[in-house]
Amino acid sequence: MQMLKYVLKRVGYSIVTLFVLVALTFFLQRMLPGDPFIGDKALPQATMDALNAKYGLDKSVGEQFLIYLGNCLHGDLGLSLQTNRPVATIIADSFVVSFDLGIRAIIFAFVLGVLLGTVAAIKRGKATDTICMFIALVGVSVPSFIVASILQYFLGLQLTQTLKGAGMGAMFAATGWDSWNSKILPVLALGFGSLAQISRLTRTSMLDVLGQDYIKTAKAKGLSQPAIIWKHALRNAITPVVTVLGPIAAAVLTGAFVVENIFSIPGLGRYFVQSIQTMDYTMISGTTIFYGAFLIAANLVVDLVYGVIDPRVKLEEG
Amino acid sequence: MAKDTKKVVLDVNDLHVSFDTYAGEVKAVRGVTFTLHEGEVLAIVGESGCGKSVTAQTVMKLNPMPPARIPQGEVHLGEHDIVKASEKEMQTLRGKEVSMIFQDPMTCLNPTKPVGKQIVEAIRHHRKLSTAEAKAEAIKYLKMVNIPNAEERAKQYPHEFSGGMRQRAMIAMALSCNPKVLIADEPTTALDVTIQAQIMDLLAEIKEETDTAIILITHDLGVVAGMADRVAVMYAGKIVETGSVEDIFYRNAHPYTQALLKSLPSVDADKTERLVSIAGTPPDLLNPPHGCGFAARCKRCMKICQEEQPPEFTVGEGHVASCWLLHPDCPSPEERGEKDVD
């Protein structure tokens, strides 16, 4: 009951946030100089008028906004000014790919990051710790487009060609998102930064937990070190890590624009960037709203999961 | 109930424990010897940092090694040689042969696991029981430590328990595998006074009902008087005096014991009277003194006290103290020209 109330309250906040987001993007893009229909060659005035009338751009901005809002409420994000396809369909088609990439990257980052951080904490001060934390430092400092380019060049191109020369099949594909071997490098590139962040956080939090009295209690029960880590330390150490999963989802999402571009992955990021360049109003608004809603939902899920992991967290005051 | 007929469950002989730190070797325990019989309650008293907790944790090898190490001495728990035991062997002993309850019950239970589950875990680790049987056992022990609605309470998390109840749950967990030795490391220090009394009553009950021997570590002499059979007074990593409760309270022979007792607030004391304290600080165990550890703070210190460690002198039956004043050749206070030592 309390849970339901909490969720409803959060959904309420989310709607307000989304409204502000819609309004801001809508009016900001109209303030940009230029016109969606100005292409390489000038169109006759009559054609321009017809296009403007078709997409409702001949009405006043305020009127357009109200119409857009009304359509949004019906789930209609309009037609793309460039391709004339419904924005919702484009998003639905391409987001499947982006989501696939993103979720793989987050899982990769979370599992390996927690592992790396835990190992580093257990081997604190030893060579293993130094190696783990060096990897993490590199991950935090090097932006994803550099990681992506390096992976693509050395693994996707050089290594694969060497292997091909030796008569073996391709290990990594340098571009695309169809076969399994094309999915490895983008996931690595996209997840690496988050992995680094998660492993550093896990290490700190794990060290803190390992110094707690209840770890001593567990040891006094006769449990072995691995059992103590697995049954008692991990769950407590992971709580702060889960809190950053929201921001990490955002980082992965924005990182995906770049990584998708480098690996020619037909994801949503491409449309998001292109739409701004081509002043595709409906596309800009559509993708922004979608990303906004997605992030808000991701953060809500993280907060709910938090309460499941740590029973002391009572979800009352949002 | 003659002590000699009872089995010795724990035998600690000349135990030394050191910690290797960046500053050097801290000699936290410097030759501690005691035996513990079945069903006996031994209290180890002393001020903070005197090595009482380190001694107790060494019995379970709970101190991380390194930095801790045992350069010298023996610890025998029943037939098990603790000093030589591997970590794997220790894992079969901890919780089963010897278990421990800690000072702060607020932080000693895992906040993300129901209390009952944490007890079940200890039971299942040492006893071949099904989960259902272990659950029943856990509830039985929770009832034994007087937790009301044990069935319901077992499903709750530690944060739903009060401090006193958490300590009870800790005791239930510690007893759940019928250990031969229970180490209670300042079990009441973090609790308020009424709860303290309840926990001590519970420990006294356990003493009566089981044959588990208890090592009670405390700096609270009031707690000691209530339930200990024997008392060991520790100072600067050594036991300076051992004896029965009566020996320690009424026939004490070591100046440190005397000073410690004098610093107890008394009910009949004049309200305006200031609490007596022992002047000075304990010695730095990085560079422990050659002579008696208490020499620098002792009002009756002699020349030899600063030069040589005092051996143990027998004061009465089962009552020994390490102080040069007890040496037969030691001149009497009058001969030394000692004025009022108080």
Side-chain angles (χ1 to χ4, degrees):
Chain A
M1 195 52 219
Q2 215 166 28
M3 185 83 154
L4 187 71
K5 217 169 134 192
Y6 174 79
V7 174
L8 285 177
K9 203 164 155 190
R10 284 290 300 261
V11 171
Y13 287 142
S14 309
I15 290 171
V16 177
T17 317
L18 267 181
F19 173 78
V20 174
L21 187 68
V22 174
L24 272 178
T25 27
F26 191 89
F27 290 109
L28 274 176
Q29 66 192 359
R30 297 307 156 103
M31 282 156 72
L32 284 173
D35 187 284
F37 304 122
I38 294 177
D40 292 336
K41 17 176 214 208
L43 294 170
Q45 191 56 42
T47 320
M48 289 285 272
D49 287 344
L51 278 171
N52 279 334
K54 182 184 178 209
Y55 292 104
L57 295 176
D58 51 347
K59 301 192 178 72
S60 76
V61 176
E63 218 172 326
Q64 285 180 39
F65 180 62
L66 289 179
I67 294 170
Y68 186 71
L69 263 188
N71 288 342
C72 277
L73 290 179
H74 295 106
D76 176 12
L77 294 174
L79 293 174
S80 162
L81 304 186
Q82 294 298 325
T83 59
N84 207 23
R85 285 173 62 208
V87 171
T89 318
I90 296 179
I91 291 178
D93 288 349
S94 53
F95 185 66
V96 176
V97 176
S98 284
F99 186 77
D100 191 20
L101 169 64
I103 208 79
R104 281 166 200 258
I106 289 180
I107 291 173
F108 158 72
F110 187 77
V111 172
L112 220 64
V114 167
L115 184 73
L116 218 60
T118 307
V119 169
I122 297 169
K123 300 279 177 196
R124 181 190 194 174
K126 304 227 172 76
T128 322
D129 181 20
T130 318
I131 294 168
C132 288
M133 284 307 104
F134 178 74
I135 295 173
L137 186 68
V138 172
V140 168
S141 341
V142 181
S144 61
F145 59 88
I146 294 184
V147 177
S149 312
I150 289 175
L151 286 176
Q152 192 176 39
Y153 182 71
F154 286 106
L155 296 185
L157 208 66
Q158 302 286 30
L159 180 71
T160 307
Q161 269 179 0
T162 318
L163 287 178
K164 260 186 191 155
M168 280 179 273
M171 193 151 126
F172 305 108
T175 55
W177 188 258
D178 29 38
S179 55
W180 65 270
N181 60 358
S182 65
K183 297 186 180 181
I184 299 172
L185 297 183
V187 168
L188 292 185
L190 186 54
F192 191 43
S194 306
L195 177 150
Q197 204 191 336
I198 289 174
S199 67
R200 284 161 64 95
L201 195 64
T202 308
R203 180 178 179 271
T204 315
S205 142
M206 184 57 92
L207 280 177
D208 178 50
V209 166
L210 287 179
Q212 296 288 323
D213 285 342
Y214 55 82
I215 297 299
K216 213 201 274 175
T217 307
K219 195 177 174 190
K221 273 187 216 175
L223 300 189
S224 63
Q225 165 100 341
I228 292 173
I229 301 280
W230 182 248
K231 291 186 182 160
H232 289 272
L234 202 57
R235 189 163 172 178
N236 286 292
I238 233 169
T239 339
V241 180
V242 171
T243 9
V244 298
L245 277 186
I248 278 181
V252 165
L253 220 55
T254 42
F257 304 157
V258 182
V259 173
E260 281 175 8
N261 226 325
I262 292 175
F263 288 99
S264 316
I265 295 167
L268 187 54
R270 195 175 53 169
Y271 290 99
F272 187 62
V273 178
Q274 271 176 14
S275 66
I276 298 172
Q277 288 162 349
T278 57
M279 306 265 314
D280 189 342
Y281 294 149
T282 43
M283 199 66 201
I284 298 177
S285 297
T287 44
T288 310
I289 293 168
F290 180 76
Y291 276 137
F294 182 77
L295 270 187
I296 290 169
N299 276 310
L300 179 63
V301 168
V302 164
D303 282 352
L304 296 179
V305 168
Y306 200 67
V308 173
I309 292 181
D310 191 338
R312 285 170 299 178
V313 175
K314 284 250 168 63
L315 300 172
E316 286 157 4
E317 300 305 313
Chain B
M1 200 174 82
K3 290 279 154 51
D4 327 54
T5 60
K6 287 261 183 182
K7 236 172 53 195
V8 172
V9 285
L10 178 67
D11 185 16
V12 177
N13 194 10
D14 193 31
L15 177 70
H16 287 68
V17 184
S18 292
F19 291 88
D20 292 316
T21 66
Y22 287 114
E25 179 190 356
V26 177
K27 300 186 179 88
V29 176
R30 308 182 295 142
V32 161
T33 301
F34 65 86
T35 52
L36 187 67
H37 299 82
E38 210 170 46
E40 187 183 28
V41 177
L42 169 72
I44 302 181
V45 292
E47 60 196 86
S48 306
C50 73
K52 51 192 196 300
S53 289
V54 174
T55 306
Q57 296 196 1
T58 305
V59 171
M60 289 182 85
K61 273 201 178 162
L62 276 184
N63 297 312
M65 298 184 180
R69 63 193 166 84
I70 306 171
Q72 197 182 324
E74 286 166 67
V75 179
H76 287 278
L77 180 71
E79 66 272 27
H80 306 280
D81 185 340
I82 298 291
V83 177
K84 291 210 184 80
S86 65
E87 174 61 24
K88 208 156 200 154
E89 206 177 334
M90 285 312 299
Q91 282 165 15
T92 63
L93 300 179
R94 287 187 198 123
K96 184 160 182 285
E97 302 287 322
V98 51
S99 58
M100 192 158 183
I101 50 179
F102 300 96
Q103 181 172 347
D104 191 353
M106 309 309 266
T107 57
C108 282
L109 290 164
N110 186 341
T112 56
K113 264 179 193 278
V115 175
K117 232 183 182 165
Q118 299 190 42
I119 300 175
V120 166
E121 189 182 27
I123 296 173
R124 297 254 295 160
H125 184 70
H126 294 293
R127 296 162 63 182
K128 285 199 175 73
L129 292 178
S130 70
T131 316
E133 287 168 326
K135 238 180 220 166
E137 277 290 295
I139 288 167
K140 187 186 106 191
Y141 278 100
L142 282 174
K143 279 182 179 155
M144 185 181 144
V145 296
N146 305 325
I147 288 192
N149 300 328
E151 286 89 353
E152 290 304 305
R153 286 292 189 170
K155 289 180 207 141
Q156 292 185 337
Y157 289 93
H159 69 275
E160 294 167 280
F161 276 46
S162 69
M165 278 175 62
R166 283 187 221 185
Q167 193 61 296
R168 284 167 195 279
M170 277 298 293
I171 294 173
M173 191 192 293
L175 290 176
S176 63
C177 294
N178 255 323
K180 299 206 172 61
V181 180
L182 172 67
I183 300 172
D185 190 354
E186 310 222 12
T188 58
T189 309
L191 303 172
D192 60 52
V193 186
T194 47
I195 308 297
Q196 275 186 20
Q198 290 174 15
I199 295 290
M200 289 320 294
D201 286 347
L202 177 62
L203 285 176
E205 234 171 78
I206 289 161
K207 178 191 162 187
E208 293 301 320
E209 285 168 16
T210 66
D211 50 9
T212 299
I214 300 176
I215 298 181
L216 180 63
I217 297 169
T218 180
H219 55 245
D220 187 343
L221 285 161
V223 162
V224 170
M227 71 172 290
D229 296 313
R230 276 188 312 132
V231 183
V233 181
M234 264 190 96
Y235 185 78
K238 280 171 174 290
I239 292 182
V240 294
E241 187 167 6
T242 321
S244 67
V245 174
E246 290 77 21
D247 289 336
I248 296 299
F249 275 84
Y250 305 113
R251 295 185 289 272
N252 44 49
H254 198 283
Y256 177 65
T257 313
Q258 292 160 358
L260 203 60
L261 284 166
K262 239 175 243 146
S263 61
L264 275 184
S266 146
V267 180
D268 6 275
D270 187 355
K271 290 276 189 302
T272 57
E273 211 173 286
R274 293 198 63 159
L275 210 55
V276 183
S277 63
I278 307 174
T281 52
D284 180 7
L285 293 177
L286 261 174
N287 302 298
H290 293 296
C292 172
F294 190 57
R297 300 168 83 180
C298 184
K299 286 180 178 161
R300 302 166 70 184
C301 176
M302 300 177 290
K303 196 167 172 235
I304 189 167
C305 299
Q306 291 174 340
E307 287 164 359
E308 229 174 294
Q309 304 250 2
E312 281 187 344
F313 296 99
T314 305
V315 184
E317 202 201 323
H319 181 194
V320 288
S322 305
C323 179
W324 284 116
L325 290 169
L326 301 169
H327 194 275
D329 292 346
C330 175
S332 67
E334 295 78 37
E335 284 169 314
R336 293 206 310 275
E338 208 170 89
K339 284 168 247 128
D340 185 18
V341 287
D342 296 334

